[in-house]
Amino acid sequence: MILYVRFLLPPALETDGVERGASLETGGVAAGGVEAALPALLGLAEGISPVVQALPPDAVLIDVRGAERYFGRDATRLASLLRVRALAHCGVDCVVGVGPGPMLARMVARAAGPGTTLVVTQDEAARFLADKPVAALDGVGPATARTLCAYGLDSIGRIAAAPLAVLQRIIGARAGRELWERARGIDRTAVVPNAVARSIATERAFPRDELDRTQHRRALLSLAEELGARMRGERQVCRSLTLTVRYADRSTTTRTRTLREPTAHSAALTGTAYALHESLGLQRARVRSLALRAEDLAPAERAARQLTFDPADERARRIEAVADRARARFGPRAIVPGSLAA
């Protein structure tokens, strides 16, 4: 069986603005959010099964078929064990979906409530999928869903009952077969172990759900400065940046942008973070937290940098190096951008 585990902060930290703000100042998992704690949570998952795939910002896939035989426990009991460990070691709760494949496990987790485990076996897959809209299937986007609904194929059950040849005529031979198989609970994908070290993340939770765009930008500046300092300290650069916005209703929006060149320069990271935030076009959105993740990390010595004739860029990089040495000696708050000094 496959576990899809989505981690989340306990309700006391998720909903109480005062407690969120206090936790942000005093440290712990709440200070960095679930995304920043993902490496530690992956370590807990790997203690149960070595076949773990990270799904940033807050989820993992775990293949527990070997672990079931090793521990002599079924997938439900292994999910309970992981939940207890996540709460005890990291103060993080989770939602667990258990299914015969990654696709079903994800869909089952979406149907489960916070802090619960929901299991769907292969024999139960057809009944679980039958009444769900076609857009709930992996790989079915809005355009494909509209095309299928125009032919009356608006549910997964109707797609599973349709002849394969009909689906192939509507959306193509390969896509039609894949859709027909997924509608019947056949999932040919696998859990692919990967290294979380290829990305680092940090998060800022607001004391109260925040509408002010100026406060959003201050948080983004703080996040970019922290990521840049961490990467420079480890002599790494990133090739892309991902912004995750969590709203008051616990929904999230994620955007990723590839950088013009691999970098750990805080000014470049900040500019990209601002651009990602602007692309969302948030209007009076009640934002609960912002998370920034640097992806595709690589050693700094292997990265090429385009030289410029702009003296301001070179001056900014020299000042940044001096600030890094001052922080290393006197602490991370020794030098901060002026807009964050307050």
Side-chain angles (χ1 to χ4, degrees), residues 6-308:
R6 186 170 66 86
F7 299 105
L8 47 96
L9 292 177
L13 295 178
E14 184 71 23
T15 59
D16 190 328
V18 176
E19 289 195 24
R20 287 207 313 271
S23 298
L24 184 63
E25 295 297 328
T26 57
V29 171
V34 173
E35 187 169 10
L38 190 59
L41 294 167
L42 280 175
L44 297 178
E46 289 170 349
I48 294 176
S49 170
V51 188
V52 178
Q53 179 178 348
L55 301 174
D58 58 2
V60 295
L61 277 170
I62 312 172
D63 188 336
V64 297
R65 286 174 291 190
E68 287 178 296
R69 294 191 295 270
Y70 181 82
F71 289 103
R73 301 184 179 187
D74 61 15
T76 304
R77 296 177 66 188
L78 291 174
S80 299
L81 176 63
L82 177 60
R83 181 173 181 244
V84 169
R85 289 182 177 181
L87 281 168
H89 290 274
C90 300
V92 172
D93 205 348
C94 57
V95 176
V96 185
V98 183
M103 180 198 73
L104 269 174
R106 282 191 292 267
M107 295 181 68
V108 171
R110 287 196 288 268
T116 63
T117 299
L118 185 60
V119 182
V120 172
T121 64
Q122 187 67 59
D123 295 335
E124 300 167 338
R127 186 168 65 254
F128 174 77
L129 293 171
D131 297 330
K132 296 192 178 302
V134 64
L137 271 178
D138 286 0
V140 178
T144 303
R146 285 194 298 268
T147 300
L148 292 168
C149 289
Y151 287 90
L153 301 173
D154 56 355
S155 70
I156 298 176
R158 290 183 175 179
I159 290 178
L164 173 60
V166 171
L167 291 175
Q168 290 179 322
R169 282 197 298 269
I170 294 174
I171 62 173
R174 180 177 178 180
R177 175 171 289 278
E178 291 177 351
L179 178 63
W180 186 76
E181 290 181 346
R182 288 197 295 268
R184 292 169 173 253
I186 302 172
D187 185 7
R188 302 188 185 278
T189 60
V191 179
V192 181
N194 53 13
V196 73
R198 290 186 59 82
S199 68
I200 58 174
T202 186
E203 185 173 356
R204 294 291 184 272
F206 294 107
R208 293 175 179 82
D209 298 330
E210 186 61 69
L211 287 81
D212 188 351
R213 291 167 58 85
T214 301
Q215 296 301 323
H216 297 173
R217 290 174 66 89
R218 291 183 72 246
L220 290 172
L221 174 60
S222 174
L223 292 168
E225 288 283 339
E226 181 180 337
L227 284 182
R230 287 173 61 183
M231 285 190 287
R232 293 191 298 272
E234 299 172 4
R235 299 193 58 78
Q236 291 183 314
V237 293
C238 70
R239 293 186 175 89
S240 61
L241 207 61
T242 296
L243 171 66
T244 301
V245 182
R246 188 176 300 277
Y247 305 102
D249 61 356
R250 299 190 183 184
S251 64
T252 60
T253 301
T254 301
R255 292 288 186 274
T256 300
R257 182 166 297 187
T258 301
L259 300 168
R260 289 188 299 175
E261 62 183 20
T263 187
H265 186 32
S266 292
L269 298 176
T270 301
T272 303
Y274 285 167
L276 286 167
H277 182 259
E278 291 295 330
S279 70
L280 296 177
L282 300 179
Q283 299 291 334
R284 303 289 295 173
R286 296 172 57 202
V287 176
R288 180 153 295 183
S289 67
L290 295 169
L292 206 60
R293 184 171 70 254
E295 298 181 315
D296 295 330
L297 299 184
E301 59 268 17
R302 297 183 185 176
R305 179 167 71 89
Q306 178 64 50
L307 299 178
T308 70

